[in-house]
Structures are given as C-alpha cells and as structure tokens.
C-alpha cells in the first residue's frame, strides 16, 4: 500500500472514531436525562425545607401558618400558671397567749327561802250552839271548834254542859286563841265552868286560873273526882 492510501485510511478511521464519540455522547446524554427524570419522581424528602413546608401548608389550607400562630388565644381560655399550682405559703403560727389563771368557781348559794304565807288566824265566832260533841268540843253555825286549856269529857258531863248552855239561851261568843277558842255564854267561861264542876281535865295549854279550878274540883270531889 502506498503512502497516499495509508493517509486516506488513517483519515477515514479518525473521522469514524470522532463520529462514534459524538454519537456515543449524544446517546449517553439522552439516556442519562431520561433515567435522571425517572429517579427524581421516586425520591421522597425526609424533612422538606422550612420555606417549602410553610409554602406547602399555605398551598394546602389556604392559610398562612405563621399568621395562625400569631393569633392570640381567646380571652376566656383558662391558662394554668405556676402561681395556680404552687403551694400557698403557710401562715406563721400564732404566739401563745398567756391567759390569767382561772379562779375557782364560787360556791353556789342556796336561794333564800320564800317566806311562807301567814297561817289564817281564827276569827271571832258568834251564834247559836247547835251541838255539844263533848265538854271541850262544840259545833257553832256549822263549824266545829275546840275549847282552849281543857280536855273534854263525854256523857254524862257533856249532857250537863249542853243543859247549862240551853238554860243561858244557847247564844255563844268565842274568841280565838291560836287554833282554839275561849267561849262565853252569858259572860260565863265554859272551859272554866267545866273544870270547876269536874266535867273536864286541864290541858297542856291551861292557864293558872284553869289549873286552880281543877284543883278545887278535886278537893271538893266534884264530877270525875267523886
């Protein structure tokens, strides 16, 4: 082969080599771009950038997230603060108060007894002798009375006294002495007359005059002393 032929062959090989390189680059760029586009659709970002996330939130809800975070909380919303849960300070204990010693209770004094009403005093009686119960007991105007200073006796001395009262008109006047009476018929003391005739015995409240009349009846053996 001549030299001219060799140069022509070398030039053809060079052109073919350059053309192959260009075709290879073109194919590589086309295939590489297609593959790159497919790979990008498969990738899922783990944490999108803050600007993209805010833009995505704004695009999804139509409300700006920053604008929402800047809206103040409602006035009536209860907010828990540290003061609400913090323990309240305990009040300081009160200092002890010195109380004066208790005085012993005063002895209860018994109330003064109420004075008793005075006993009703017998009143003077006047009227007619209705009955001689014994020589010391008479019934006058429906009331029974006892003669003072004597112990009365029954029959026959009771009947003798009843006859004497009847002979004097049966009208009698009785004056009270304590709970008993001194009675008079025609100004004659019936108790003294009974003792003088031995028709009664002297009682504990007998006056000296009454006792002397009883002694006189005993000496003269009158009545019960016969």
């Amino acid at each position: 082969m001549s030299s001219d032929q060799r140069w022509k062959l070398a030039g053809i090989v060079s052109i073919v080599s350059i053309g192959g390189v260009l075709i290879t680059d073109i194919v590589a760029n086309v295939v590489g771009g297609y593959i790159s586009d497919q790979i990008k659709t498969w990738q899922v970002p783990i944490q999108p950038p803050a600007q993209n996330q805010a833009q995505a939130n704004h695009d999804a809800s139509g409300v700006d997230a920053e604008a929402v975070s800047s809206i103040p909380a409602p006035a009536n919303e209860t907010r828990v603060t540290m003061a609400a849960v913090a323990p309240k300070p305990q009040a300081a204990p009160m200092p002890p108060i010195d109380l004066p010693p208790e005085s012993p209770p005063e002895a209860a004094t018994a109330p003064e007894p109420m004075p008793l009403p005075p006993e009703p005093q017998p009143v003077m009686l006047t009227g007619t002798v209705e009955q001689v119960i014994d020589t010391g007991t008479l019934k006058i105007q429906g009331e029974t009375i006892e003669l003072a200073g004597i112990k009365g006796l029954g029959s026959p001395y009771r009947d003798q006294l009843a006859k004497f009262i009847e002979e004097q008109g049966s009208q009698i006047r009785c004056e009270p002495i304590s709970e008993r009476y001194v009675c008079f018929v025609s100004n004659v003391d019936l108790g003294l007359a009974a003792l003088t005739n031995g028709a009664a015995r002297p009682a504990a409240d007998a006056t000296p005059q009454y006792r002397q009349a009883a002694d006189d009846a005993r000496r003269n053996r009158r009545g019960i002393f016969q």
Side-chain angles (χ1 to χ4, degrees):
M1 181 180 296
S2 62
S3 56
D4 291 335
Q5 289 177 344
R6 284 196 296 271
W7 280 105
K8 289 179 181 181
L9 181 58
I12 292 169
V13 172
S14 297
I15 292 170
V16 172
S17 298
I18 292 171
V21 172
L22 293 175
I23 291 170
T24 301
D25 291 339
I26 291 170
V27 173
N29 289 332
V30 172
V31 174
Y34 175 77
I35 294 173
S36 177
D37 290 339
Q38 292 298 322
I39 293 174
K40 287 180 180 179
T41 58
W42 296 342
Q43 291 179 354
V44 178
I46 298 175
Q47 183 64 37
Q51 183 177 1
N52 294 337
Q53 183 65 29
Q55 183 64 30
N57 293 337
H58 177 73
D59 294 340
S61 62
V63 181
D64 192 352
E66 295 181 358
V68 172
S69 62
S70 63
I71 297 175
N76 57 356
E77 184 179 355
T78 303
R79 295 186 179 182
V80 179
T81 61
M82 290 300 294
V85 297
K88 297 182 179 179
Q90 296 182 355
M94 293 291 294
I97 301 175
D98 295 333
L99 298 176
E102 296 183 358
S103 58
E106 297 181 358
T109 57
E112 296 182 0
M114 296 292 293
L116 297 176
E119 295 182 359
Q121 296 296 327
V123 295
M124 182 180 292
L125 296 177
T126 59
T128 302
V129 178
E130 298 175 351
Q131 182 183 2
V132 177
I133 299 174
D134 59 38
T135 57
T137 308
L138 309 175
K139 188 175 183 179
I140 305 170
Q141 299 293 113
E143 185 173 353
T144 302
I145 64 169
E146 292 182 355
L147 298 179
I150 68 172
K151 295 178 180 178
L153 299 175
S155 182
Y157 309 107
R158 176 190 61 194
D159 301 334
Q160 295 173 3
L161 181 62
K163 184 179 180 181
F164 173 78
I165 293 172
E166 184 179 358
E167 291 175 349
Q168 302 300 319
S170 298
Q171 294 299 310
I172 194 170
R173 173 175 57 87
C174 298
E175 297 178 358
I177 295 179
S178 184
E179 295 180 356
R180 301 208 283 180
Y181 292 84
V182 176
C183 296
F184 299 89
V185 175
S186 298
N187 294 325
V188 176
D189 185 346
L190 291 181
L192 183 59
L195 289 172
T196 301
N197 291 277
R201 296 180 183 274
D205 59 342
T207 64
Q209 185 182 9
Y210 277 20
R211 294 185 184 279
Q212 185 178 354
D215 291 342
D216 185 67
R218 183 181 298 106
R219 284 193 303 268
N220 294 292
R221 295 182 181 276
R222 293 192 290 266
I224 59 174
F225 299 110
Q226 293 179 1

